[in-house]
């Protein structure tokens, strides 16, 4: 642990991103042991993931953004950077949704007409999860950059807890992609590789996010809230609707609450 603490924050963010990618790979490896998706379990995990990301968006990202703005930005309202960054994060994910052909496992969200795309259903499923992973990598990067900057409300332990929370929810996410790909006719090996590859954007996003914020310190509150907005977009647009589609509404909702509480405890207790 001392070795990790001594590292440059960009390296720390990159390693945290690698950890979350490995968690996805672990989830994808279930393809070699099970034959189909357990819908109840998937609903629980999607609900819990939504709770984790919602809690992390506030305690790990928005709260430090507000604290930094209040202390260091003069001449503008404290809420301004958080509000602007949050909205831009959602708009960014919406633009990605609009222009990158993708298909959600649990149902059509109206983002892409499969008949208008030359991509196969397999690749559109892959791209849907990859889009989901973009804000997670960014969030990890800016959280480590915020901790390194020493701003109030942002601690290294909080950034680590964010990476742990994202990693935990990546495990079922990996299996939720690989198993449907196998059902689409892909071999187990191919389904595994596509599943784990969907999270490769996370270490790259973490490194880019941390480096950009450390180079341009004035971007910090905007970057933190941008990552929060992007994550909330994923929660509302994907995780919550998909957790409700299999008829396991109550268990998915309760799982959301459990995920929220776990992430809140991790962030507040460790941060």
């Amino acid at each position: 642990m001392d070795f990790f603490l001594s590292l440059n924050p960009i390296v720390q963010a990159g390693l945290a991103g690698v950890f979350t990618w490995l968690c996805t790979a672990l989830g994808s490896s279930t393809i070699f042991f099970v034959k189909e998706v357990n819908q109840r379990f998937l609903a629980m995990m999607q609900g819990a993931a939504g709770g984790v990301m919602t809690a992390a968006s506030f305690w790990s990202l928005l709260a430090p953004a507000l604290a930094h703005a209040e202390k260091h930005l003069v001449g503008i309202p404290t809420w301004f950077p958080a509000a602007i960054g949050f909205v831009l994060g959602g708009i960014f994910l919406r633009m990605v949704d609009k222009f990158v052909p993708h298909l959600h496992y649990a149902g059509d969200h109206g983002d892409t007409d499969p008949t208008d795309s030359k991509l196969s259903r397999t690749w559109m499923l892959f791209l849907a999860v990859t889009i989901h992973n973009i804000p997670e990598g960014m969030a990890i990067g800016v959280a480590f950059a915020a901790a390194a900057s020493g701003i109030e409300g942002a601690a290294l332990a909080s950034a680590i807890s964010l990476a742990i929370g994202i990693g935990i929810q990546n495990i079922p996410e990996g299996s939720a992609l690989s198993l449907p790909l196998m059902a689409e006719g892909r071999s187990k090996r191919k389904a595994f590789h596509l599943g784990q590859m969907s999270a490769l954007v996370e270490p790259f996003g973490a490194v880019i996010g941390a480096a950009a914020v450390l180079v341009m310190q004035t971007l910090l509150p905007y970057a933190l809230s941008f990552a929060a907005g992007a994550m909330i977009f994923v929660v509302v647009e994907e995780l919550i609707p998909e957790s409700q589609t299999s008829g396991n509404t109550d268990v998915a909702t309760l799982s959301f609450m459990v995920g929220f509480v776990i992430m809140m405890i991790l962030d507040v207790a460790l941060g």
Side-chain angles (χ1 to χ4, degrees), residues 3 19 30 44 52 76 87 91 103 144 150 154 174 200-201 214 218 221 241 266:
F3 171 73
F19 165 75
T30 59
M44 290 174 60
V52 166
I76 61 173
V87 171
I91 292 173
L103 191 64
F144 275 94
L200 282 175
V201 294
L214 288 172
T218 55
L266 279 174

Side-chain angles (χ1 to χ4, degrees), residues 80-90 221-223 225-230:
F80 183 81
I84 294 298
F86 188 85
V87 171
L88 288 178
Y222 297 94
S225 50
F226 181 95

Side-chain angles (χ1 to χ4, degrees), residues 59-60 64 143 153-163 263 266-267 270-271:
W59 273 281
S60 295
L156 182 58
S158 180
I160 293 172
S161 68
L162 173 64
M263 189 65 218
L266 279 174
D267 206 308
L270 296 180

Side-chain angles (χ1 to χ4, degrees), residues 3-22:
F3 171 73
F4 182 80
L5 296 176
S6 69
L7 296 174
N8 182 283
I10 297 175
V11 177
Q12 291 176 338
L15 291 175
V18 170
F19 165 75
T20 60
W21 163 64
L22 288 174

